[in-house]
Amino acid sequence: MQDQKKSFLISTITIGCLMVFTYVLTLVLECDGIPFYRWILSPVLALGSSSGSTTIAVLVFLLIIGGITNGLNKCGFMEYMLNKIVNKYGKRRYTLMFMMVLFFMIMGSVVGTFEEVVPVTPIIVSLAINLGFDALTGIGMSLLAVGCGFAAGVFNPFTIGVAQELAGLPMFSGVSLRLISFVLIYALLMFFLYSHAKKVEKSINENMVNNFEENENMEKAYLAFVFIFSIAIVLVLASPFITALQDYTLIIVALMFLIAGIVSIKLTKISNKELFNFFKDGVIDILPSALLILMASSIKFTMEESGVLNSILEYIASAASLMNRVELILFIYLICLLLEIFVPSGSAKAFLLIPLLAPLASRFGLSAQLIVLAFAYGDGFSNVFYPTNPALIISLSLTNVSYRNWFKYSWKFQVANLVLTSTILLLGLMINYC
């Protein structure tokens, strides 16, 4: 409990500093400004902004996950499911790691899955611990993997698809360099995860591997959970081809996770009163994270309300006009990385940046395809690093991992990945990638 309080305090201070920095920007850049009282109230006022509905959806998503996850833990279902998986794959744990990372990267890269993996993250973390690894390895196998796939963006409809449409490019064209990116990023991520796992690994409890006994009620609950949640996965996989689903994947996953959780918990012979209490306790435990999400959402609100965002975009255009081609592509990558702190949504950032950057880059002989790739890199990797991203905040809260520990664990990968992806962009510049 003490560690959770410390983690929450550190995260609150971190996001609070970003809020102050944003407010200071409104003064330094001499924009229209935002009254101090509106800045203080911005976490609440942001709910009424253009992106307020998204924030509300994320908050509901958070509370559902917190309540159901607690219920699955308290009724013994989670322990049973994990023991079952360890019993089957315990002696091939590194093979399982490689397969799971590949699966989540494909989900991020081909379907554009990111927030939807949050409900699964605490399960993967618990699995990693039962396999003899640690919680950080579990987050790396799930959320970090899906973030890397999202950034590689082979067929990501939310970054590559939107950005290419805005840049006037054929949908999902230029796939070759993105496929190479996917393979190289996967190799780097596996090296990072494998190296860490080897340092922290412990022997698996042989009793879990050899003495697992099936329980009839738990087995029914397990099959029900897998079946119902698989429907959500199928619908998410179908979303690139069924446009009507694309705006509702988060809702679909939340709803199916809620149904799967309730059905599974009830099949373990838990009473309605116990189910309600488990859910209520889970919601209460996760409420502090809701405050962090409101604080994070207020940053974008402050920038839009004060006009800072438009001023920053004007400065970008002015600075870019003085650069050569090598400097320009790296500068564009840097801008996308930095803007992610304030605008986590990839699609929203595409509408802000691509109409500005594509014409500017073409004047200096940069292909629009390369601009789109730099944009995808800048959006995706930072999703799993910046404390302003709701999916990261929720995942860390659900797994009791502090942001400080996550930062200490993942910054080396982020630096190595920055070098790798910058090199790929320069390669694209050399070969006239288009």
Side-chain angles (χ1 to χ4, degrees), residues 91-169:
K91 295 181 179 178
R92 294 171 289 162
R93 54 182 174 174
Y94 282 101
T95 300
L96 181 62
M97 175 193 286
F98 276 66
M99 291 170 58
M100 292 186 73
V101 170
L102 180 61
F103 169 76
F104 282 114
M105 275 197 64
I106 289 173
M107 287 290 287
S109 202
V110 175
V111 188
T113 300
F114 183 64
E115 290 91 347
E116 294 81 1
V117 83
V118 170
V120 186
T121 301
I123 298 175
I124 303 301
V125 167
S126 298
L127 176 61
I129 293 171
N130 282 14
L131 288 170
F133 305 135
D134 63 359
L136 292 168
T137 304
I139 300 176
M141 290 165 59
S142 51
L143 189 73
L144 182 56
V146 82
C148 287
F150 193 91
V154 180
F155 297 111
N156 187 339
F158 303 110
T159 53
I160 296 296
V162 172
Q164 286 184 329
E165 184 176 353
L166 291 171
L169 295 168

Side-chain angles (χ1 to χ4, degrees), residues 225-295:
F225 185 87
V226 171
F227 174 74
I228 296 171
F229 199 67
S230 292
I231 296 174
I233 295 174
V234 170
L235 291 173
V236 171
L237 287 171
S239 61
F241 312 102
I242 306 175
T243 53
L245 293 175
Q246 290 177 5
D247 293 332
Y248 303 102
T249 54
L250 195 64
I251 297 172
I252 290 169
V253 170
L255 180 61
M256 298 309 289
F257 187 71
L258 177 64
I259 295 171
I262 291 175
V263 170
S264 300
I265 293 169
K266 287 298 296 176
L267 285 172
T268 65
K269 303 303 181 183
I270 293 295
S271 69
N272 290 335
K273 183 178 180 181
E274 287 177 303
L275 171 58
F276 175 79
N277 287 332
F278 292 160
F279 188 88
K280 178 194 67 176
D281 292 342
V283 168
I284 291 172
D285 287 343
I286 206 71
L287 275 177
S289 297
L291 174 61
L292 296 179
I293 290 171
L294 288 172
M295 290 174 64

Side-chain angles (χ1 to χ4, degrees), residues 401-427:
V401 173
S402 70
Y403 178 74
R404 181 179 63 176
N405 287 343
W406 176 249
F407 181 92
K408 287 169 62 178
Y409 167 74
S410 62
W411 76 267
K412 291 180 182 178
F413 169 76
Q414 291 286 352
V415 170
N417 191 54
L418 181 63
V419 172
L420 171 63
T421 49
S422 297
T423 302
I424 295 172
L425 288 173
L426 294 178
L427 172 65

